[in-house]
Coordinates of all heavy atoms in Angstrom, one line a residue:
M329 N 26.5 9.6 6.9 CA 25.3 8.8 6.7 C 25.6 7.4 6.5 O 26.5 7.0 5.6 CB 24.5 9.4 5.4 CG 23.3 8.6 5.1 SD 22.3 9.2 3.7 CE 23.1 8.4 2.4
A330 N 25.0 6.5 7.2 CA 25.2 5.1 7.1 C 24.4 4.6 5.9 O 23.3 5.1 5.7 CB 24.8 4.3 8.4
T331 N 24.9 3.6 5.2 CA 24.2 3.0 4.1 C 23.7 1.6 4.5 O 24.3 0.9 5.3 CB 25.0 2.9 2.9 OG1 26.2 2.1 3.1 CG2 25.4 4.3 2.4
A332 N 22.7 1.2 3.9 CA 22.1 -0.2 4.1 C 21.8 -0.8 2.7 O 21.5 -0.1 1.8 CB 20.9 -0.1 4.9
V333 N 21.8 -2.1 2.7 CA 21.5 -2.8 1.4 C 20.0 -3.1 1.4 O 19.4 -3.5 2.5 CB 22.3 -4.1 1.3 CG1 21.8 -4.9 0.1 CG2 23.7 -3.8 1.3
L334 N 19.3 -2.9 0.3 CA 17.9 -3.1 0.2 C 17.7 -4.0 -1.1 O 18.0 -3.6 -2.2 CB 17.1 -1.8 0.0 CG 15.6 -1.9 -0.4 CD1 14.9 -2.5 0.8 CD2 15.1 -0.5 -0.7
N335 N 17.2 -5.2 -0.8 CA 16.9 -6.1 -1.9 C 15.4 -6.1 -2.1 O 14.7 -6.5 -1.2 CB 17.4 -7.5 -1.6 CG 18.9 -7.6 -1.5 OD1 19.6 -7.1 -2.4 ND2 19.4 -8.3 -0.5
V336 N 15.0 -5.8 -3.3 CA 13.6 -5.8 -3.6 C 13.3 -6.5 -5.0 O 14.2 -6.5 -5.8 CB 13.0 -4.3 -3.7 CG1 13.1 -3.6 -2.4 CG2 13.7 -3.5 -4.8
K337 N 12.1 -7.0 -5.1 CA 11.7 -7.6 -6.4 C 10.8 -6.7 -7.1 O 9.8 -6.2 -6.5 CB 11.0 -9.0 -6.1 CG 11.9 -10.0 -5.5 CD 11.2 -11.3 -5.4 CE 12.1 -12.4 -4.8 NZ 11.5 -13.7 -4.7
I338 N 11.2 -6.3 -8.3 CA 10.3 -5.4 -9.1 C 10.2 -6.0 -10.5 O 10.9 -6.9 -10.9 CB 10.9 -4.0 -9.2 CG1 12.3 -4.0 -9.8 CG2 11.0 -3.3 -7.8 CD1 12.9 -2.6 -10.1
D339 N 9.2 -5.5 -11.2 CA 8.9 -5.9 -12.5 C 10.1 -5.6 -13.4 O 10.7 -4.5 -13.3 CB 7.6 -5.2 -13.0 CG 7.2 -5.6 -14.4 OD1 6.8 -6.8 -14.5 OD2 7.3 -4.8 -15.3
D340 N 10.4 -6.5 -14.4 CA 11.5 -6.2 -15.3 C 11.4 -4.9 -16.1 O 12.4 -4.2 -16.3 CB 11.6 -7.4 -16.3 CG 12.1 -8.7 -15.7 OD1 12.8 -8.6 -14.7 OD2 11.8 -9.7 -16.3
A341 N 10.2 -4.6 -16.5 CA 10.0 -3.3 -17.2 C 10.3 -2.1 -16.4 O 10.9 -1.2 -16.8 CB 8.5 -3.2 -17.7
L342 N 9.9 -2.2 -15.1 CA 10.2 -1.1 -14.2 C 11.7 -1.0 -14.0 O 12.3 0.1 -13.9 CB 9.5 -1.3 -12.8 CG 9.8 -0.2 -11.8 CD1 9.3 1.2 -12.3 CD2 9.0 -0.6 -10.5
K343 N 12.4 -2.1 -13.9 CA 13.9 -2.1 -13.7 C 14.5 -1.4 -14.9 O 15.5 -0.7 -14.8 CB 14.4 -3.5 -13.5 CG 15.9 -3.5 -13.2 CD 16.5 -4.9 -13.0 CE 18.0 -4.8 -12.7 NZ 18.6 -6.1 -12.6
E344 N 14.0 -1.7 -16.1 CA 14.6 -1.2 -17.3 C 14.4 0.4 -17.3 O 15.2 1.1 -17.7 CB 14.0 -1.8 -18.6 CG 14.6 -3.1 -18.9 CD 16.1 -3.1 -19.1 OE1 16.6 -2.2 -19.9 OE2 16.8 -3.8 -18.4
R345 N 13.2 0.8 -16.9 CA 12.9 2.2 -16.9 C 13.9 2.9 -15.9 O 14.4 4.0 -16.2 CB 11.5 2.5 -16.4 CG 10.4 2.3 -17.5 CD 9.0 2.6 -17.0 NE 8.9 4.0 -16.7 CZ 7.8 4.6 -16.1 NH1 6.8 3.8 -15.8 NH2 7.8 5.9 -15.9
L346 N 14.1 2.3 -14.8 CA 15.0 2.8 -13.8 C 16.4 2.8 -14.3 O 17.1 3.8 -14.1 CB 14.9 1.9 -12.5 CG 15.7 2.4 -11.3 CD1 15.2 3.7 -10.8 CD2 15.5 1.3 -10.2
R347 N 16.8 1.8 -15.0 CA 18.2 1.8 -15.6 C 18.4 2.9 -16.6 O 19.4 3.6 -16.6 CB 18.4 0.4 -16.2 CG 19.9 0.2 -16.6 CD 20.1 -1.2 -17.2 NE 19.3 -1.4 -18.4 CZ 19.7 -0.9 -19.6 NH1 20.7 -0.1 -19.7 NH2 18.9 -1.2 -20.7
H348 N 17.4 3.0 -17.5 CA 17.4 4.1 -18.5 C 17.5 5.5 -17.8 O 18.2 6.4 -18.3 CB 16.3 4.0 -19.5 CG 16.4 2.9 -20.5 ND1 17.4 2.9 -21.4 CD2 15.6 1.8 -20.6 CE1 17.2 1.8 -22.1 NE2 16.2 1.1 -21.7
Y349 N 16.7 5.7 -16.8 CA 16.7 7.0 -16.1 C 18.0 7.2 -15.5 O 18.5 8.3 -15.6 CB 15.6 6.9 -15.0 CG 15.4 8.2 -14.3 CD1 14.5 9.2 -14.7 CD2 16.2 8.5 -13.2 CE1 14.3 10.4 -14.1 CE2 16.0 9.7 -12.5 CZ 15.1 10.6 -12.9 OH 14.9 11.8 -12.3
A350 N 18.6 6.2 -14.9 CA 20.0 6.3 -14.3 C 21.0 6.7 -15.4 O 21.8 7.6 -15.2 CB 20.4 5.1 -13.6
E351 N 20.9 6.0 -16.5 CA 21.9 6.3 -17.6 C 21.7 7.7 -18.1 O 22.7 8.4 -18.3 CB 21.7 5.3 -18.8 CG 22.2 4.0 -18.6 CD 22.0 3.0 -19.7 OE1 21.4 3.5 -20.8 OE2 22.3 1.8 -19.6
D352 N 20.5 8.1 -18.3 CA 20.2 9.5 -18.8 C 20.7 10.6 -17.9 O 21.1 11.7 -18.3 CB 18.7 9.7 -19.1 CG 18.2 8.9 -20.2 OD1 19.0 8.4 -21.0 OD2 16.9 8.7 -20.3
N353 N 20.8 10.3 -16.6 CA 21.2 11.2 -15.6 C 22.6 11.0 -15.1 O 23.0 11.5 -14.1 CB 20.2 11.2 -14.4 CG 18.9 11.8 -14.8 OD1 18.8 13.0 -15.0 ND2 17.9 11.0 -15.0
N354 N 23.3 10.1 -15.8 CA 24.7 9.7 -15.4 C 24.8 9.3 -14.0 O 25.7 9.8 -13.3 CB 25.7 10.9 -15.8 CG 25.7 11.2 -17.2 OD1 25.8 10.3 -18.1 ND2 25.7 12.5 -17.6
E355 N 23.9 8.4 -13.6 CA 23.9 7.9 -12.2 C 23.9 6.4 -12.2 O 23.6 5.8 -13.3 CB 22.7 8.4 -11.4 CG 22.6 9.9 -11.3 CD 21.3 10.4 -10.7 OE1 20.3 9.6 -10.7 OE2 21.2 11.5 -10.3
N356 N 24.2 5.8 -11.1 CA 24.1 4.3 -11.0 C 22.7 4.0 -10.5 O 22.0 4.9 -10.0 CB 25.2 3.7 -10.2 CG 25.2 4.2 -8.8 OD1 24.2 4.4 -8.2 ND2 26.4 4.3 -8.2
L357 N 22.3 2.7 -10.5 CA 21.0 2.3 -10.1 C 20.8 2.7 -8.6 O 19.7 3.1 -8.2 CB 20.8 0.8 -10.3 CG 20.5 0.4 -11.7 CD1 20.4 -1.2 -11.7 CD2 19.1 0.9 -12.1
S358 N 21.8 2.5 -7.8 CA 21.6 2.8 -6.4 C 21.3 4.2 -6.1 O 20.3 4.6 -5.3 CB 22.9 2.4 -5.6 OG 22.8 2.7 -4.3
V359 N 22.0 5.2 -6.7 CA 21.8 6.6 -6.5 C 20.4 7.0 -7.0 O 19.7 7.7 -6.4 CB 22.9 7.4 -7.1 CG1 22.6 8.9 -7.2 CG2 24.3 7.2 -6.4
T360 N 20.1 6.5 -8.2 CA 18.8 6.9 -8.8 C 17.7 6.3 -8.0 O 16.7 7.0 -7.7 CB 18.8 6.3 -10.2 OG1 19.8 6.9 -11.0 CG2 17.4 6.6 -10.9
T361 N 17.8 5.1 -7.5 CA 16.7 4.5 -6.7 C 16.5 5.3 -5.4 O 15.4 5.6 -5.0 CB 17.0 3.0 -6.4 OG1 17.2 2.3 -7.6 CG2 15.9 2.4 -5.6
E362 N 17.6 5.6 -4.7 CA 17.5 6.4 -3.5 C 16.9 7.8 -3.8 O 16.0 8.2 -3.0 CB 18.9 6.6 -2.9 CG 18.9 7.3 -1.6 CD 20.2 7.4 -0.9 OE1 21.2 6.9 -1.5 OE2 20.3 7.9 0.2
K363 N 17.3 8.4 -4.8 CA 16.8 9.7 -5.1 C 15.3 9.7 -5.4 O 14.5 10.5 -4.9 CB 17.5 10.3 -6.4 CG 17.1 11.7 -6.8 CD 17.9 12.3 -7.9 CE 17.6 11.7 -9.2 NZ 18.2 12.3 -10.4
L364 N 14.8 8.7 -6.2 CA 13.4 8.6 -6.6 C 12.6 8.2 -5.4 O 11.4 8.7 -5.2 CB 13.2 7.6 -7.7 CG 13.8 8.1 -9.1 CD1 13.7 7.0 -10.1 CD2 13.1 9.4 -9.5
L365 N 13.1 7.4 -4.5 CA 12.4 7.0 -3.3 C 12.2 8.2 -2.4 O 11.1 8.4 -1.8 CB 13.1 5.9 -2.5 CG 12.9 4.5 -3.0 CD1 13.9 3.5 -2.3 CD2 11.5 4.0 -2.9
L366 N 13.2 9.0 -2.2 CA 13.1 10.2 -1.4 C 12.1 11.2 -2.0 O 11.3 11.8 -1.3 CB 14.5 10.9 -1.3 CG 15.5 10.2 -0.4 CD1 16.9 10.9 -0.5 CD2 15.0 10.3 1.1
L367 N 12.1 11.4 -3.3 CA 11.1 12.2 -4.0 C 9.7 11.7 -3.8 O 8.8 12.5 -3.5 CB 11.4 12.3 -5.5 CG 12.6 13.2 -5.9 CD1 12.9 13.0 -7.4 CD2 12.3 14.6 -5.6
A368 N 9.5 10.4 -3.8 CA 8.2 9.8 -3.6 C 7.7 10.1 -2.2 O 6.6 10.4 -2.0 CB 8.3 8.3 -3.9
F369 N 8.6 9.9 -1.2 CA 8.2 10.2 0.2 C 7.9 11.6 0.4 O 6.9 12.0 1.1 CB 9.3 9.8 1.2 CG 9.3 8.3 1.5 CD1 10.4 7.5 1.2 CD2 8.3 7.7 2.1 CE1 10.4 6.1 1.5 CE2 8.2 6.4 2.4 CZ 9.3 5.6 2.1
E370 N 8.6 12.5 -0.2 CA 8.3 14.0 -0.1 C 7.0 14.3 -0.7 O 6.2 15.0 -0.2 CB 9.4 14.8 -0.8 CG 10.7 14.8 -0.1 CD 11.8 15.5 -0.9 OE1 11.5 16.1 -1.9 OE2 13.0 15.5 -0.4
A371 N 6.7 13.6 -1.9 CA 5.4 13.9 -2.5 C 4.2 13.4 -1.7 O 3.2 14.0 -1.6 CB 5.3 13.2 -3.9
V372 N 4.4 12.2 -1.0 CA 3.4 11.7 -0.1 C 3.2 12.6 1.1 O 2.0 12.9 1.4 CB 3.8 10.3 0.4 CG1 2.9 9.8 1.5 CG2 3.7 9.3 -0.8
E373 N 4.2 13.1 1.6 CA 4.1 14.0 2.8 C 3.4 15.3 2.4 O 2.6 15.8 3.1 CB 5.5 14.3 3.4 CG 6.1 13.1 4.1 CD 7.5 13.4 4.5 OE1 8.1 14.5 4.3 OE2 8.1 12.4 5.1
E374 N 3.8 15.8 1.2 CA 3.1 17.1 0.7 C 1.7 16.9 0.4 O 0.8 17.8 0.6 CB 3.8 17.6 -0.5 CG 5.2 18.2 -0.3 CD 5.9 18.6 -1.5 OE1 5.3 18.7 -2.6 OE2 7.1 18.9 -1.5
A375 N 1.3 15.7 -0.1 CA -0.1 15.4 -0.4 C -0.9 15.1 0.8 O -2.2 15.1 0.7 CB -0.1 14.2 -1.4
G376 N -0.3 14.9 1.9 CA -1.0 14.6 3.1 C -1.7 13.3 3.1 O -2.7 13.1 3.7
V377 N -1.1 12.3 2.5 CA -1.6 10.9 2.5 C -1.4 10.3 3.8 O -0.3 10.3 4.4 CB -0.9 10.1 1.4 CG1 -1.5 8.7 1.4 CG2 -1.2 10.7 0.0
S378 N -2.5 9.7 4.4 CA -2.4 9.1 5.7 C -2.4 7.6 5.6 O -2.8 7.0 4.5 CB -3.5 9.6 6.6 OG -4.7 9.1 6.1
E379 N -2.2 6.9 6.6 CA -2.3 5.4 6.7 C -3.7 5.0 6.3 O -3.9 4.0 5.7 CB -1.9 4.9 8.0 CG -1.9 3.4 8.1 CD -1.4 2.9 9.5 OE1 -0.6 3.6 10.1 OE2 -2.0 1.9 10.0
E380 N -4.7 5.8 6.7 CA -6.1 5.5 6.5 C -6.3 5.5 4.9 O -7.1 4.7 4.4 CB -7.0 6.5 7.1 CG -7.1 6.4 8.6 CD -7.9 5.2 9.0 OE1 -9.0 4.9 8.4 OE2 -7.5 4.5 9.9
D381 N -5.7 6.4 4.2 CA -5.9 6.5 2.8 C -5.3 5.3 2.1 O -5.8 4.8 1.1 CB -5.2 7.7 2.2 CG -5.9 9.0 2.8 OD1 -7.1 9.0 3.0 OD2 -5.2 10.0 2.9
I382 N -4.2 4.8 2.6 CA -3.5 3.7 2.0 C -4.2 2.3 2.2 O -4.5 1.6 1.3 CB -2.0 3.6 2.5 CG1 -1.3 4.8 2.0 CG2 -1.3 2.3 1.9 CD1 0.1 5.0 2.6
D383 N -4.6 2.1 3.5 CA -5.2 0.8 3.9 C -6.7 1.1 4.2 O -7.1 1.1 5.3 CB -4.5 0.2 5.0 CG -5.1 -1.2 5.4 OD1 -5.9 -1.8 4.5 OD2 -4.9 -1.7 6.5
N384 N -7.5 1.4 3.2 CA -8.9 1.8 3.4 C -9.8 0.6 3.6 O -11.0 0.8 3.9 CB -9.4 2.7 2.3 CG -9.4 1.9 0.9 OD1 -9.0 0.8 0.8 ND2 -9.9 2.6 -0.1
Q385 N -9.2 -0.6 3.5 CA -10.1 -1.8 3.7 C -9.9 -2.3 5.2 O -10.6 -3.2 5.6 CB -9.7 -2.9 2.8 CG -10.0 -2.5 1.3 CD -9.7 -3.6 0.4 OE1 -9.1 -4.6 0.7 NE2 -9.9 -3.4 -0.9
H386 N -9.0 -1.7 5.9 CA -8.7 -2.1 7.3 C -8.5 -3.6 7.5 O -9.2 -4.2 8.3 CB -9.8 -1.5 8.2 CG -10.1 -0.1 8.0 ND1 -9.2 0.9 8.4 CD2 -11.1 0.6 7.4 CE1 -9.7 2.1 8.0 NE2 -10.9 1.9 7.4
T387 N -7.7 -4.1 6.7 CA -7.5 -5.6 6.7 C -6.4 -5.9 7.7 O -5.4 -5.1 7.9 CB -7.0 -6.1 5.3 OG1 -5.9 -5.4 4.9 CG2 -8.2 -6.0 4.3
E388 N -6.5 -7.0 8.4 CA -5.5 -7.5 9.3 C -5.4 -9.0 9.1 O -6.3 -9.7 8.7 CB -6.0 -7.3 10.8 CG -6.0 -5.8 11.1 CD -6.4 -5.6 12.6 OE1 -6.2 -6.5 13.4 OE2 -6.8 -4.5 12.9
E389 N -4.1 -9.5 9.3 CA -3.9 -10.9 9.2 C -4.5 -11.6 10.4 O -4.4 -11.2 11.5 CB -2.4 -11.2 9.0 CG -1.8 -10.6 7.7 CD -0.4 -11.0 7.5 OE1 0.1 -12.0 8.2 OE2 0.3 -10.4 6.7
E390 N -5.1 -12.8 10.1 CA -5.6 -13.6 11.1 C -4.5 -14.3 11.8 O -3.6 -14.8 11.2 CB -6.6 -14.6 10.6 CG -7.9 -13.9 10.1 CD -8.9 -15.0 9.6 OE1 -8.9 -16.1 10.1 OE2 -9.6 -14.6 8.6
S391 N -4.6 -14.4 13.1 CA -3.6 -15.2 13.9 C -4.2 -16.6 14.0 O -5.2 -16.8 14.6 CB -3.4 -14.6 15.2 OG -2.5 -15.4 16.0
I392 N -3.4 -17.6 13.5 CA -3.9 -19.0 13.6 C -3.0 -19.7 14.6 O -1.8 -19.7 14.5 CB -3.8 -19.7 12.2 CG1 -4.7 -18.9 11.2 CG2 -4.2 -21.1 12.3 CD1 -4.5 -19.4 9.8
S393 N -3.6 -20.3 15.5 CA -2.9 -21.0 16.6 C -2.3 -22.4 16.0 O -3.0 -23.0 15.1 CB -3.8 -21.3 17.8 OG -4.9 -22.1 17.4
P394 N -1.2 -22.8 16.5 CA -0.6 -24.1 16.0 C -1.5 -25.3 16.5 O -2.4 -25.1 17.3 CB 0.7 -24.1 16.7 CG 0.7 -23.2 17.9 CD -0.4 -22.2 17.5
F395 N -1.2 -26.4 15.9 CA -1.9 -27.6 16.3 C -1.7 -28.0 17.8 O -0.6 -27.8 18.3 CB -1.5 -28.8 15.5 CG -1.9 -28.7 14.1 CD1 -1.0 -28.7 13.0 CD2 -3.3 -28.7 13.7 CE1 -1.4 -28.7 11.7 CE2 -3.7 -28.6 12.4 CZ -2.7 -28.6 11.4
T396 N -2.8 -28.5 18.4 CA -2.6 -28.9 19.8 C -2.0 -30.3 19.8 O -2.0 -31.0 18.7 CB -4.0 -29.0 20.5 OG1 -4.8 -30.0 19.8 CG2 -4.7 -27.7 20.5
P397 N -1.4 -30.8 20.9 CA -0.9 -32.1 20.9 C -1.9 -33.2 20.5 O -1.5 -34.2 19.8 CB -0.4 -32.3 22.4 CG -0.2 -30.9 22.8 CD -1.2 -30.1 22.1
K398 N -3.1 -33.0 20.8 CA -4.2 -34.0 20.5 C -4.4 -34.0 19.0 O -4.5 -35.1 18.3 CB -5.5 -33.6 21.2 CG -6.5 -34.7 21.1 CD -7.8 -34.3 21.9 CE -8.8 -35.3 21.8 NZ -10.0 -35.0 22.6
E399 N -4.3 -32.9 18.3 CA -4.5 -32.8 16.9 C -3.3 -33.4 16.2 O -3.4 -34.1 15.1 CB -4.7 -31.3 16.4 CG -6.0 -30.7 16.9 CD -6.1 -29.2 16.6 OE1 -5.1 -28.5 16.8 OE2 -7.2 -28.7 16.3
I400 N -2.1 -33.2 16.7 CA -0.9 -33.7 16.1 C -0.9 -35.2 16.1 O -0.6 -35.9 15.2 CB 0.4 -33.2 16.8 CG1 0.5 -31.7 16.5 CG2 1.6 -33.9 16.4 CD1 1.6 -31.0 17.3
K401 N -1.4 -35.8 17.3 CA -1.5 -37.2 17.4 C -2.5 -37.8 16.4 O -2.2 -38.8 15.8 CB -1.9 -37.6 18.8 CG -1.9 -39.0 19.1 CD -2.3 -39.3 20.6 CE -2.2 -40.8 20.9 NZ -2.5 -41.0 22.3
A402 N -3.6 -37.1 16.2 CA -4.6 -37.6 15.2 C -4.1 -37.5 13.8 O -4.3 -38.4 13.0 CB -5.9 -36.7 15.4
L403 N -3.3 -36.5 13.5 CA -2.7 -36.3 12.1 C -1.7 -37.5 11.9 O -1.7 -38.1 10.8 CB -2.0 -35.0 12.0 CG -2.9 -33.8 11.8 CD1 -2.1 -32.5 11.8 CD2 -3.6 -33.9 10.4
R404 N -0.9 -37.8 12.9 CA 0.1 -38.9 12.8 C -0.6 -40.2 12.5 O -0.2 -41.0 11.7 CB 1.0 -38.9 14.0 CG 2.0 -37.8 14.1 CD 2.9 -38.0 15.3 NE 3.9 -37.0 15.3 CZ 4.4 -36.4 16.4 NH1 4.0 -36.9 17.6 NH2 5.3 -35.5 16.3
K405 N -1.7 -40.4 13.2 CA -2.5 -41.6 13.1 C -3.0 -41.7 11.7 O -3.0 -42.8 11.0 CB -3.6 -41.6 14.1 CG -4.3 -42.9 14.2 CD -5.3 -42.9 15.4 CE -6.1 -44.2 15.5 NZ -7.1 -44.1 16.6
L406 N -3.6 -40.6 11.1 CA -4.1 -40.6 9.7 C -3.0 -40.9 8.7 O -3.2 -41.6 7.8 CB -4.7 -39.3 9.4 CG -6.1 -39.0 10.1 CD1 -6.5 -37.6 9.9 CD2 -7.1 -40.0 9.5
L407 N -1.8 -40.3 9.0 CA -0.7 -40.5 8.0 C -0.2 -41.9 8.0 O 0.2 -42.5 7.0 CB 0.4 -39.5 8.3 CG 0.2 -38.0 8.0 CD1 1.3 -37.2 8.6 CD2 0.0 -37.9 6.5
K408 N -0.2 -42.6 9.2 CA 0.2 -43.9 9.3 C -0.7 -44.9 8.5 O -0.3 -45.8 7.9 CB 0.3 -44.4 10.7 CG 1.6 -44.0 11.4 CD 1.6 -44.6 12.8 CE 2.9 -44.2 13.5 NZ 3.0 -44.7 14.9
K409 N -2.0 -44.5 8.6 CA -3.0 -45.3 7.8 C -2.8 -45.2 6.3 O -3.1 -46.2 5.6 CB -4.4 -44.9 8.2 CG -4.9 -45.3 9.5 CD -6.3 -44.8 9.8 CE -6.8 -45.2 11.2 NZ -8.2 -44.8 11.4
R410 N -2.3 -44.1 5.8 CA -2.1 -43.9 4.4 C -1.0 -44.8 3.8 O -0.9 -45.1 2.7 CB -1.8 -42.4 4.1 CG -3.0 -41.6 4.3 CD -2.8 -40.1 4.0 NE -2.7 -40.0 2.6 CZ -2.4 -38.9 2.0 NH1 -2.0 -37.8 2.7 NH2 -2.4 -38.8 0.7
K411 N 0.0 -45.2 4.7 CA 1.1 -46.0 4.2 C 0.7 -47.3 4.0 O 0.5 -48.1 3.4 CB 2.2 -46.0 5.3 CG 2.9 -44.7 5.4 CD 4.0 -44.8 6.4 CE 4.8 -43.4 6.6 NZ 5.8 -43.5 7.5

């Protein structure tokens, strides 16, 4: 099995809970995190949670087009006036 590095930002309190859980089970943070993530995925699969259940607001990010050359020229003109 190949391993990969996963950097995540989590709440300090959650990290402490994870650290205590690892200590109690004589494991390191990496092993404990992997084990708990696998258990969470198994629980989701068993519960039959679908993508629809997770994103029930059906939100999508809007695609915003970049400035046109004409808009860039106008912005530069405004910035020069401010100096």
Side-chain angles (χ1 to χ4, degrees):
M329 176 176 89
T331 59
V333 175
L334 173 66
N335 293 316
V336 295
K337 292 182 180 183
I338 60 172
D339 185 68
D340 287 335
L342 179 58
K343 184 178 178 184
E344 281 302 306
R345 283 183 65 187
L346 187 61
R347 190 179 63 74
H348 285 294
Y349 185 91
E351 283 179 6
D352 292 344
N353 291 286
N354 296 319
E355 298 172 344
N356 61 36
L357 281 175
S358 179
V359 170
T360 299
T361 304
E362 183 176 1
K363 181 174 77 174
L364 293 175
L365 281 172
L366 286 170
L367 286 171
F369 278 118
E370 288 174 8
V372 167
E373 288 171 4
E374 286 178 13
V377 176
S378 69
E379 185 178 323
E380 289 287 317
D381 297 329
I382 295 169
D383 184 17
N384 63 358
Q385 295 179 358
H386 309 290
T387 56
E388 292 183 23
E389 292 185 17
E390 293 181 29
S391 176
I392 300 173
S393 60
F395 291 119
T396 64
K398 188 176 182 179
E399 292 171 325
I400 293 172
K401 188 175 181 180
L403 284 171
R404 285 184 179 148
K405 192 175 180 180
L406 287 171
L407 289 172
K408 280 186 179 181
K409 286 182 181 179
R410 290 181 76 186
K411 289 182 181 180

